[in-house]
Amino acid sequence: MSAADRFADALYGLGWSTVKKLPEPVAVRLGRTIADAAWKRRGKGVRRLEANYARVVPGASPERLAELSRAGMRSYLRYWMESFRLPAWSAERVRTGFEPKDLHHLTEGLDSGRGVVLALPHLANWDLAGAWVTTKLETPFTTVAERLKPESLYDRFVAYREGLGMEVLPHSGGAAFGTLARRLRDGGLVCLVADRDLSASGAEVDFFGERARMPAGPALLAQQTGALLLPVTLWYDDSPVMKGRVHPPIEVPASGTRAEKTSVMTQALADAFATGIAAHPEDWHMLQRLWLADLDPAKGPS
């Protein structure tokens, strides 16, 4: 393990061991302080966040983009502070920490026994939403995690999410899709963060007026298993309670090839994500390249 990998692992370990012991107001202030310091340094992640916001809020002035990126970093650090503390939250704190709208789309889908795929963008705190599902709804689910380096850091993330009641599969290796399909055919729940394609083989979509690529997995799973595909968007307000919305189901087109159906469904997913991101851009934690035009290293900021 390299020195950088050891440092990253130690840093996250310190977060999970120390931050979760802090009183909540102290953790909130610490998160904001770290966010503001990172924003002032204007590193690669902050610059990329601002460039992404420029797509979401076209015509925004440099001053407006700076305001958004500062709010975005505060939202991002709120996610981390909450995530570090989630294992120490009481069941009641988890149950009251999230208020989703239109939950009936999910509960009716689960009651039908056909299986449900929840697809989310990187908005607000998807881990809290997942903990709420396992705690408030008492419904286990399966998800996929990107393999992080070092391996010990990935193991920390898996243990953390499994501790919240999730079954976690590695993104790489190829076996995840088959396991997800089996869970859905058994009437289970699958939750996937699906606004950034990690395979470079996803479906192309129009996203805020430009081409991007998003994972094809949610649409393919719905087609192959008959599961319901539901987009979910999340956001923060000024309260300690995260808000969210379960969007209406995305139907499988009646005709077309599998690729054509996947394209239509993934575009519908991207459109639902866009509504949530446009309404709360500061809660979209996309500090990486996303649009195809930016995937060429010669174009745009890092």
Side-chain angles (χ1 to χ4, degrees):
M1 185 189 301
S2 69
D5 286 345
R6 286 196 300 272
F7 178 74
D9 184 51
L11 189 62
Y12 283 105
L14 180 65
W16 269 303
S17 64
T18 303
V19 173
K20 69 180 181 182
K21 299 175 184 177
L22 297 175
E24 191 157 344
V26 176
V28 170
R29 288 196 298 272
L30 176 62
R32 180 162 289 201
T33 299
I34 295 171
D36 287 350
W39 177 78
K40 288 177 181 176
R41 282 199 302 271
R42 291 194 58 78
K44 182 172 66 174
V46 172
R47 297 197 309 274
R48 171 49 47 196
L49 186 65
E50 242 172 64
N52 289 340
Y53 286 159
R55 260 58 172 258
V56 175
V57 189
S61 66
E63 293 77 16
R64 172 61 177 147
L65 289 175
E67 289 174 2
L68 273 176
S69 65
R70 183 175 190 177
M73 290 304 295
R74 287 181 171 184
S75 177
Y76 185 48
L77 263 294
R78 176 173 171 175
Y79 159 76
W80 278 111
M81 291 297 114
E82 287 180 347
S83 294
F84 285 143
R85 292 174 49 75
L86 263 176
W89 280 16
S90 68
E92 181 60 21
R93 177 69 180 89
V94 173
R95 284 192 291 266
T96 60
F98 178 43
E99 291 180 357
K101 299 178 179 179
D102 300 327
L103 186 63
H104 65 93
H105 292 305
L106 172 58
T107 55
E108 290 170 3
L110 292 171
D111 290 344
S112 74
R114 62 185 287 194
V116 176
V117 179
L118 293 180
L120 307 86
H122 285 80
L123 274 169
N125 192 338
W126 46 97
D127 284 330
L128 172 55
W132 185 90
V133 167
T134 61
T135 305
K136 175 75 173 181
L137 300 186
E138 298 181 341
T139 301
F141 66 87
T142 304
T143 189
V144 174
E146 178 183 0
R147 277 202 176 277
L148 302 171
K149 292 183 180 181
E151 191 74 14
S152 56
L153 180 57
Y154 171 77
D155 291 340
R156 285 184 188 273
F157 270 97
V158 170
Y160 155 65
R161 289 180 170 136
E162 287 179 342
L164 299 176
M166 312 174 192
E167 179 188 21
V168 182
L169 308 175
H171 181 271
S172 59
F177 189 91
T179 302
L180 295 174
R182 287 194 295 274
R183 299 292 183 268
L184 292 168
R185 290 190 182 103
D186 290 339
L189 177 64
V190 164
C191 299
L192 300 171
V193 179
D195 57 344
R196 181 169 174 253
D197 180 48
L198 296 174
S199 67
S201 60
E204 282 197 23
V205 296
D206 183 81
F207 196 53
F208 291 101
E210 291 191 44
R211 301 302 285 174
R213 189 182 295 116
M214 292 190 179
L220 288 170
L221 285 166
Q223 289 177 62
Q224 293 192 202
T225 67
L228 206 63
L229 175 55
L230 300 175
V232 177
T233 53
L234 310 171
W235 66 90
Y236 290 129
D237 57 17
D238 293 330
S239 77
V241 179
M242 184 176 71
K243 306 301 191 296
R245 180 188 174 202
V246 182
H247 295 251
I250 293 173
E251 302 294 341
V252 178
S255 62
T257 65
R258 185 173 71 168
E260 288 168 344
K261 292 178 180 179
T262 299
S263 178
V264 170
M265 296 174 72
T266 307
Q267 182 63 63
L269 203 59
D271 291 343
F273 291 169
T275 64
I277 293 167
H280 305 278
E282 68 279 3
D283 291 323
W284 189 40
H285 308 149
M286 186 54 65
L287 281 73
Q288 300 85 18
R289 299 173 186 270
L290 178 72
W291 280 272
L292 297 185
D294 292 337
L295 295 180
D296 179 351
K299 297 181 180 180
S302 300

